[in-house]
Amino acid sequence: MNLGISSSCFYPMITEKALEILGKAGIKTTEIFFNAVGELSDSFVKLLKSICDCYGIDVVSIHPTMSFAESFFFFSAYERRTEEALDFFKRYGEICSELGAKYIILHGGKPNGILDDREYFERFMDISEAVGKNGSILLQENVVGYRAGNFEFLKNMSDYLKDDAKFCLDIKQCIRGGYSPFDTLSALKTKVKHIHLSDNNEKNDCLIPSKGTFDFDSFFSLAKKVGFNGTGLIEVYSDAFSAVPELLYSFDFLLNKNT
């Protein structure tokens, strides 16, 4: 498994500064979490590209800033708004191409959406087609509070879309949702293209790796067994660590586990 650290670990630090900190720390693989619409401008993307080029950073994935509103934009019955949102996401596809990234992460629709599961899955494919015009691949993330934060929903999506179903597996979201990251990876297998890594214990569901009790040895072994050949990125909230060296120690901890 290729390993890295997401820029979102430093939120609410501004995006370019977070990326530069990772570069200066020697991290070569990342996911960029966009945090404002203005960050989609050509000039800002060029700034991010210059930072990546300077430090030799490989951007594997990007996370849209509109994730909180995806249910409203994409998974309602108002088709005009959906079309506008699809145009918006095409820009993320362009950004992926410009940064050399492969994946775009989707939170998706809320549980109270009016679309049934089949309609949801078809809408996912519409978004996937839109971002795919520039070679990007859309990944459904299992986020609590969204429909895909449910283990059965993930399995149903996998069954319905077959090879078109592609996922980002987030360990902390599994823990928060009350289901096993191991069971999820076993069920979705190679349809999991990207993993957000974190640790946990009985009291806290989001810790940096090395600070909890999660069995990374077994998880990495399972990932290899099911044929996962993507990237695992540390993605935690900024209150999960106190300083950059602590985060880098966590990264080294995972490198040692990933042998």
Side-chain angles (χ1 to χ4, degrees):
M1 184 187 302
N2 186 32
L3 295 173
I5 301 177
S6 172
S7 72
S8 67
C9 293
F10 298 98
Y11 181 83
M13 182 185 294
I14 58 174
T15 303
E16 65 271 30
K17 184 176 179 180
L19 183 61
E20 190 165 27
I21 285 176
L22 291 175
K24 288 180 177 179
I27 300 300
K28 299 302 182 182
T29 305
T30 193
E31 168 183 278
I32 296 180
F33 202 120
F34 285 80
N35 294 301
V37 174
E39 294 178 356
L40 306 185
S41 68
D42 288 337
S43 60
F44 188 80
V45 174
K46 287 179 180 178
L47 172 62
L48 296 180
K49 183 67 164 58
S50 69
I51 295 172
C52 291
D53 290 344
C54 177
Y55 296 104
I57 301 172
D58 178 29
V59 181
V60 176
S61 56
I62 65 172
H63 203 302
T65 186
M66 64 184 293
S67 56
F68 74 96
E70 287 165 357
S71 190
F72 175 75
F73 281 115
F74 288 119
F75 297 95
S76 75
Y78 199 70
E79 294 183 4
R80 180 180 294 165
R81 188 165 59 233
T82 298
E83 290 299 321
E84 289 178 349
L86 288 173
D87 287 338
F88 195 57
F89 253 52
K90 289 176 185 176
R91 174 57 184 152
Y92 283 110
E94 294 170 355
I95 291 172
C96 262
S97 179
E98 291 167 26
L99 294 176
K102 189 174 185 178
Y103 300 119
I104 297 176
I105 311 299
L106 182 81
H107 284 191
K110 295 281 190 176
N112 60 355
I114 68 168
L115 302 184
D116 62 28
D117 283 359
R118 182 191 61 80
E119 291 170 320
Y120 183 105
F121 303 151
E122 294 294 341
R123 194 65 55 86
F124 173 87
M125 289 306 302
D126 290 340
I127 308 168
S128 182
E129 181 179 354
V131 303
K133 293 183 183 300
N134 286 281
S136 305
I137 298 172
L138 186 71
L139 303 182
Q140 174 67 69
E141 188 175 13
N142 60 308
V143 182
V144 169
Y146 292 78
R147 289 172 74 168
N150 177 280
F151 181 58
E152 292 301 322
F153 183 90
L154 295 171
K155 291 197 298 181
N156 291 340
M157 185 173 181
S158 175
D159 291 341
Y160 183 86
L161 293 179
K162 303 187 184 307
D163 289 342
D164 288 328
K166 297 176 175 64
F167 299 95
C168 170
L169 171 60
D170 189 302
I171 290 177
K172 65 181 172 296
Q173 297 294 340
C174 289
I175 302 301
R176 290 184 173 186
Y179 54 95
S180 165
F182 292 88
D183 291 345
T184 307
L185 184 56
S186 294
L188 303 180
K189 296 183 173 62
T190 56
K191 294 176 185 178
V192 174
K193 303 298 182 181
H194 193 56
I195 298 177
H196 287 160
L197 299 167
S198 58
D199 211 337
N200 56 79
N201 58 27
E202 291 183 359
K203 295 183 179 180
N204 197 316
D205 58 19
C206 182
L207 300 169
I208 57 171
S210 79
K211 294 296 184 180
T213 59
F214 188 77
D215 187 353
F216 285 101
D217 290 313
S218 296
F219 188 77
F220 286 162
S221 177
L222 175 61
K224 185 176 181 180
K225 181 179 179 181
V226 302
F228 176 78
N229 62 358
T231 298
L233 292 168
I234 297 176
E235 197 212 54
V236 296
Y237 304 112
S238 58
D239 61 1
F241 61 98
S242 57
V244 173
E246 190 177 358
L247 186 60
L248 296 180
Y249 175 85
S250 176
F251 179 71
D252 288 339
F253 168 83
L254 289 180
L255 288 177
N256 290 330
K257 295 289 184 181
N258 189 41
T259 55

